[in-house]
Amino acid sequence: EERLVESGGDLVQPGGSLRLSCAASEFTFSSFEMNWVRQAPGKGLEWVSYISNDAKTKYYADSVKGRFTISRDNGKNSLSLQMNSLRAEDTGVYYCAREFARRFSYGRRAWFDTWGQGTLVTVSS
Amino acid sequence: DIQMTQSPSSLSAFVGDRVTITCRASQSINNYLNWYQQKPGKAPKLLIYAASSLQSGVPSRFSGSGSGTDFTLTITSLQPEDSATYHCQQSYTTPTFGQGTRLEI
């Protein structure tokens, strides 16, 4: 069964940095686009960042652009999120999510079909 | 960004009931719409993709419909384990989610 396991969450002071990791197993990691999605306490889901399977294309939510960097190591089946200049509003559970895409007769569609268990990031003094 | 609005924000129902959750997009998204179920302390789980396609392993009492701006998730013959929060998500552009609908059985 495909599996994603996040790590690296911690308590960090405002302005600090943190690096999250996501270890993938039981599927061909290099074939899939990957994302980070976060959830503030008691709130809804917020997409954070995307990386293509070959790492050539990356996208970020406006709320983290310039502060967060997504990367991947296909040789190690690993996804990372480097978070700098952290703010209180970055607090939440961070999930890595695999993006699955399929071509239908009417076009390509994509969805998040596999999620990790999440890792908690708390930004507070 | 495309805004996704779910209604209701929460609802209560009984075992065996049929419930419908609505998701509205701020602009047309064709059928670029997915639904997820999330239980407390757990990761979201994919239920429906491309508005109406049932993910493998998901019970057939879950169904989705809609196109353009208005979408629905319907759960028939509610079971106790369906108690969860349900999220819609558009994949037409940069992904955005609805605020979630909490379902209490």
Side-chain angles (χ1 to χ4, degrees), chain A residues 52-105:
Chain A
S52 61
N53 63 319
D54 60 6
K56 291 182 178 179
T57 303
K58 303 175 184 181
Y59 298 122
Y60 300 92
D62 287 343
S63 57
V64 307
K65 200 172 295 182
R67 300 187 299 121
F68 289 12
T69 302
I70 191 171
S71 61
R72 65 189 296 162
D73 184 336
N74 286 341
K76 295 183 178 180
N77 294 336
S78 177
L79 175 73
S80 296
L81 185 68
Q82 176 66 42
M83 305 187 295
N84 299 329
S85 303
L86 282 162
R87 307 167 179 166
E89 53 265 35
D90 295 319
T91 293
V93 176
Y94 284 70
Y95 298 99
C96 60
R98 187 178 81 170
E99 184 166 322
F100 190 95
R102 180 181 296 171
R103 291 198 178 277
F104 295 85
S105 58

Side-chain angles (χ1 to χ4, degrees), chain A residues 39 47 102 109-112 116, chain B residues 31-32 36 38 43 49 94:
Chain A
Q39 187 169 35
W47 170 81
R102 180 181 296 171
R109 299 292 184 269
W111 50 88
F112 303 136
Chain B
N31 70 336
Y32 288 80
Y36 302 86
Q38 186 180 29
Y49 59 89
T94 302

Side-chain angles (χ1 to χ4, degrees), chain B residues 45-101:
Chain B
K45 171 189 172 184
L46 177 69
L47 297 176
I48 302 286
Y49 59 89
S52 60
S53 295
L54 190 68
Q55 171 69 348
S56 176
V58 174
S60 59
R61 62 179 182 273
F62 292 90
S63 64
S65 65
S67 185
T69 60
D70 295 318
F71 302 86
T72 59
L73 172 69
T74 299
I75 314 172
T76 59
S77 188
L78 273 174
Q79 299 299 304
E81 61 266 29
D82 298 334
S83 183
T85 297
Y86 293 84
H87 307 272
C88 63
Q89 174 243 330
Q90 64 81 17
S91 59
Y92 185 77
T93 61
T94 302
T96 50
F97 293 85
Q99 80 279 15
T101 295

